[in-house]
Amino acid sequence: MTTRIGVVTFPGSLDDSDARRAVRIAGAEPVALWHRDGDLRRQQVDAVVLPGGFSYGDYLRCGAIARFSPIMEAVVEQAKAGMPVLGICNGFQVLCETHLLPGALTRNDHLHFVCRDQRLRVENPETVWTADYADGQEIVVPLKNGEGGYVADERTLDELEGEGRVVVRYLGGNPNGSRRDIAGITNGAGNVVGLMPHPEHAVEALTGPTTDGLGFFTSALKKLVAS
């Protein structure tokens, strides 16, 4: 049976088509999900990707309006039940707004939009979305954000570090002021992951700086097939 991974499109989503392509290249069937559709069971998806972009124009606060869309009610419910969910850039912001992940993403400390190929170190290869990486593996994927600074109180940061919930960390200089160079985190169960860089833009040698991002999608596929 084909593994189906849904990719949500909000008004203002930018990278939903890229995420669907990454899912397809990884070997799963991409399923387009609309933000007003609150019935994930009808779509019969095995996992969900929240893509990058500017959901609802980021007019209130990044991800704050998307958090109340019908699709997110279903995503939160299913994520708590164990469904794999990956939030990329704006999707990471949405996951924090829904409290599926702790902390928040704030304006870059230098107050400029950043767009570059970013070195990362994989800190946790045990999540659903990172199982194809080795502990400490260094990868390069594109980064593009204006509000990508990850912040949380010291207690939360200590918990993330102590529980091994920092998934990826910036190398070669902090691009946005994220606390402790954090580029991505996971929930305690390891099925929900949010990261600011864009692995979906590093899945083909022709279009990406590397193919290092493909592992996020193949990891989920293998976990789902094995379960």
Side-chain angles (χ1 to χ4, degrees):
M1 184 175 181
T2 303
T3 300
R4 292 163 56 87
I5 299 180
V7 179
V8 178
T9 298
F10 300 102
S13 289
L14 180 65
D15 300 303
D16 46 344
S17 60
D18 299 89
R20 290 195 300 270
R21 184 184 65 183
V23 168
R24 184 179 297 108
I25 292 172
E29 178 184 349
V31 179
L33 301 175
W34 186 234
H35 68 111
R36 289 184 176 176
D37 188 353
D39 188 0
L40 281 181
R41 291 184 178 87
R42 182 175 61 83
Q43 298 287 356
Q44 297 182 321
V45 295
D46 304 294
V48 170
V49 176
L50 306 178
F54 307 90
S55 59
Y56 296 89
D58 287 346
Y59 287 126
L60 177 59
R61 186 177 62 247
C62 296
I65 301 176
R67 177 258 179 275
F68 292 102
S69 64
I71 192 73
M72 286 310 301
E73 294 182 15
V75 169
V76 169
E77 177 185 359
Q78 292 301 308
K80 290 180 177 178
M83 175 180 282
V85 178
L86 176 67
I88 303 169
C89 195
N90 187 241
F92 185 11
Q93 295 162 339
V94 174
L95 290 177
C96 289
E97 290 290 337
T98 61
H99 305 296
L100 284 173
L101 294 176
L105 284 305
T106 62
R107 185 73 175 166
N108 294 349
D109 60 350
H110 46 72
L111 303 182
H112 294 286
F113 189 90
V114 60
C115 182
R116 73 187 199 188
D117 295 334
Q118 179 65 48
R119 288 176 57 221
L120 303 169
R121 182 173 61 241
V122 177
E123 303 280 14
N124 183 347
E126 303 298 326
T127 78
V128 171
W129 298 95
T130 55
D132 266 0
Y133 296 103
D135 188 16
Q137 182 175 344
E138 296 186 11
I139 62 176
V140 176
V141 300
L143 173 77
K144 49 176 185 173
N145 64 77
E147 296 180 87
Y150 180 75
V151 297
D153 60 81
E154 289 299 319
R155 178 179 178 181
T156 298
L157 292 170
D158 288 342
E159 288 179 354
L160 290 172
E161 299 276 13
E163 296 172 4
R165 291 169 55 195
V166 176
V167 174
V168 285
R169 206 182 302 266
Y170 295 116
L171 295 177
N174 191 318
N176 46 34
S178 289
R179 299 295 304 277
R180 306 191 189 184
D181 298 330
I182 291 173
I185 61 173
T186 182
N187 66 342
N191 65 302
V192 178
V193 168
L195 73 160
M196 189 50 53
H198 287 261
E200 79 280 14
H201 293 322
V203 296
E204 293 180 294
L206 178 64
T207 58
T210 66
T211 58
D212 291 347
L214 187 59
F216 283 90
F217 302 94
T218 57
S219 294
L221 176 59
K222 290 178 182 178
K223 287 282 189 179
L224 289 166
V225 169
S227 61

